[in-house]
Amino acid sequence: MSDSTAVLLRRRQALVKKLAGLEPLILRGSLIERYKRCGHPGCKCQQGQGHGPKFYLSVSQSGSRPEMDYVPEEYSQQVSDYLLNFQAVRQLLEKICNINRALLRRRVKF
Ligand SMILES: [Zn+2]
């Protein structure tokens, strides 16, 4: 049994609503942690893994090297959340597209 057109339209409406809430809260890329040695003679970082973690947002651009943006620690959680939101937005778009495809097959105006 496939869902009725009314059900599909209602489901799409709910997805669009979720999407609208997330749309401004997205970032694409990945959050990278780095530890750095400062180079000061005698600093404890010479022995250990280095100072850090320092966070960077790495965004790959087609055809060129990834761009790295430094992320202050107090923003790292937000950036992490926004990256997850981007995945969620992608999934919502995919679901909306699937519904629209179903509507197209039914020759429903959508
Ligand atoms: Zn150091």
Side-chain angles (χ1 to χ4, degrees), residues 38 43 45 51:
C38 65
C43 182
C45 75
H51 299 282

